[in-house]
Amino acid sequence: MAYQNIRIETRDAVGLITLNRPDALNALNSDLIDELNDALAGYAGDESIGCVVITGSEKAFAAGADIKQMQTMSYMEAYLGDFLTSWERVSEQRKPVIAAVAGYALGGGCELAMMCDFILAADNAKFGQPEINLGVSPGAGGTQRLTRFVGKSKAMEMCLTGRMMDAEEAERAGLVSRIVPVSELVEEAVSVGNKIAGKSMPIVMMTKEAVNRAYETTLSEGVRFERRLFQSMFATQDQKEGMAAFAEKRKPRFANR
Ligand code: CAA
């Protein structure tokens, strides 16, 4: 598939996807989402890739779903076409996906970032769910994921007023893992991605599953799930190698098995 709305490149073991609709502040139309899903599927099947980074430009990660594309959509088109469901593919990835957010992450842009495993924010990042100003509410997980990230009070205020929050507020509220200078954002995200890719891939995937389970189940079920996964790790070569390397005071050489 030839991409018109994203750029992809490989940086060592990281697949870097750059949203690339500069004239529309990376507004997310259906072609862009199709291309994003195609790129993610390619990385999922590529054993040399251990982590994916999704980023935008310095001005905008993404300013939301494409309002001009949605403007004339009918209910039947939205419902029968199952509008927005294909966006969830990002959250279904088994390998880690990092959002590197600079500039605007609004509406669907904020929702896309929250579908990733964690968000690294540039110091100029701005997050918001301004759909209320358009006569709609968030539709790609905003009311659910933002509430889990930042709690009811702040999520409710953001969704009802449409106001933006800057990077510092987002870090304080737990929406982003860290803030880095905008000029270093992509390099830092790629470096973190390569650090993750240097671990044992099956253990990384199981760890991601375990953390995500915390959002979907009770504490006791989640702890039981984590313990069963932990026990299963003793069947991997990488557990033997990782612990042997520690005892022998050397770096582990993971086989991803
Ligand atoms: N959809 C389509 N086009 C968009 C867009 C969007 N979400 N956001 C920006 N653009 C376009 C603008 O129309 C403009 O195009 P033209 O030059 O052809 O007029 C171009 O991008 C640059 O935008 P601005 O001139 O508005 O740039 P600015 O710097 O003055 O303002 C902004 C930046 C505050 C982000 C402003 O563009 C804005 O408010 N954008 C819309 C944000 C928004 O409402 N997002 C939610 C969308 S709905 C949604 O996402 C639903 C969902 O839950 C899935």
Side-chain angles (χ1 to χ4, degrees):
M1 185 183 214
Y3 298 143
Q4 312 293 328
N5 301 283
I6 63 170
R7 285 185 279 112
I8 64 166
E9 59 194 283
T10 302
R11 300 266 194 99
D12 299 318
V14 169
L16 174 62
I17 301 175
T18 305
L19 309 180
N20 188 32
R21 288 190 74 207
D23 294 343
L25 300 181
N26 294 332
L28 304 163
N29 62 17
S30 43
D31 288 344
L32 187 153
I33 295 295
D34 287 349
E35 292 176 15
L36 178 62
N37 285 338
D38 187 76
L40 288 169
Y43 289 138
D46 182 344
E47 279 218 12
S48 70
I49 296 295
C51 188
V52 175
V53 171
I54 302 178
T55 194
S57 68
E58 288 198 1
K59 178 152 192 208
F61 176 73
D66 190 318
I67 300 166
K68 293 163 191 168
Q69 190 176 56
M70 289 185 294
Q71 192 181 352
T72 56
M73 188 182 283
S74 69
Y75 168 55
M76 276 301 115
E77 283 166 340
Y79 182 74
L80 293 177
D82 209 7
F83 182 48
L84 296 177
T85 294
S86 66
W87 292 38
E88 280 295 326
R89 212 75 58 77
V90 177
S91 66
E92 293 160 5
Q93 296 304 304
R94 299 183 74 204
K95 293 178 186 177
V97 183
I98 303 171
V101 174
Y104 296 111
L106 301 177
C110 186
E111 292 168 310
L112 175 64
M114 291 190 292
M115 285 177 202
C116 298
D117 294 307
F118 60 93
I119 303 174
L120 278 182
D123 47 15
N124 73 340
K126 287 193 172 61
F127 299 88
Q129 299 289 161
E131 289 90 340
I132 196 98
N133 299 324
L134 301 167
V136 290
S137 71
T143 61
Q144 304 305 299
R145 290 199 175 93
L146 188 63
T147 306
R148 283 170 164 77
F149 274 107
V150 306
K152 178 182 169 187
S153 199
K154 199 179 279 286
M156 192 69 91
E157 188 206 347
M158 304 279 304
C159 291
L160 293 184
T161 66
R163 85 165 171 88
M164 295 184 209
M165 92 168 112
D166 65 17
E168 288 198 357
E169 184 180 359
E171 187 185 32
R172 268 200 314 278
L175 178 59
V176 310
S177 67
R178 257 177 329 117
I179 303 174
V180 297
V182 62
S183 58
E184 295 166 22
L185 176 71
V186 173
E187 290 315 313
E188 180 61 16
V190 167
S191 157
V192 174
N194 273 312
K195 188 179 274 186
I196 293 169
K199 319 286 184 198
S200 162
M201 183 49 51
I203 304 297
V204 163
M205 289 163 65
M206 287 187 214
T207 305
K208 168 171 167 163
E209 270 195 79
V211 173
N212 281 335
R213 191 56 73 100
Y215 284 95
E216 287 156 13
T217 191
T218 60
L219 179 62
S220 60
E221 278 304 316
V223 168
R224 197 192 328 271
F225 179 75
E226 180 198 77
R227 192 174 316 124
R228 293 292 178 240
L229 274 184
F230 183 76
Q231 291 162 353
S232 76
M233 289 170 190
F234 287 81
T236 66
Q237 291 174 31
D238 288 342
Q239 173 269 325
K240 299 286 175 289
E241 167 62 12
M243 294 191 181
F246 177 82
E248 292 161 18
K249 301 189 189 300
R250 61 171 174 82
K251 282 199 164 161
R253 288 182 297 272
F254 292 122
N256 293 332
R257 290 291 181 270

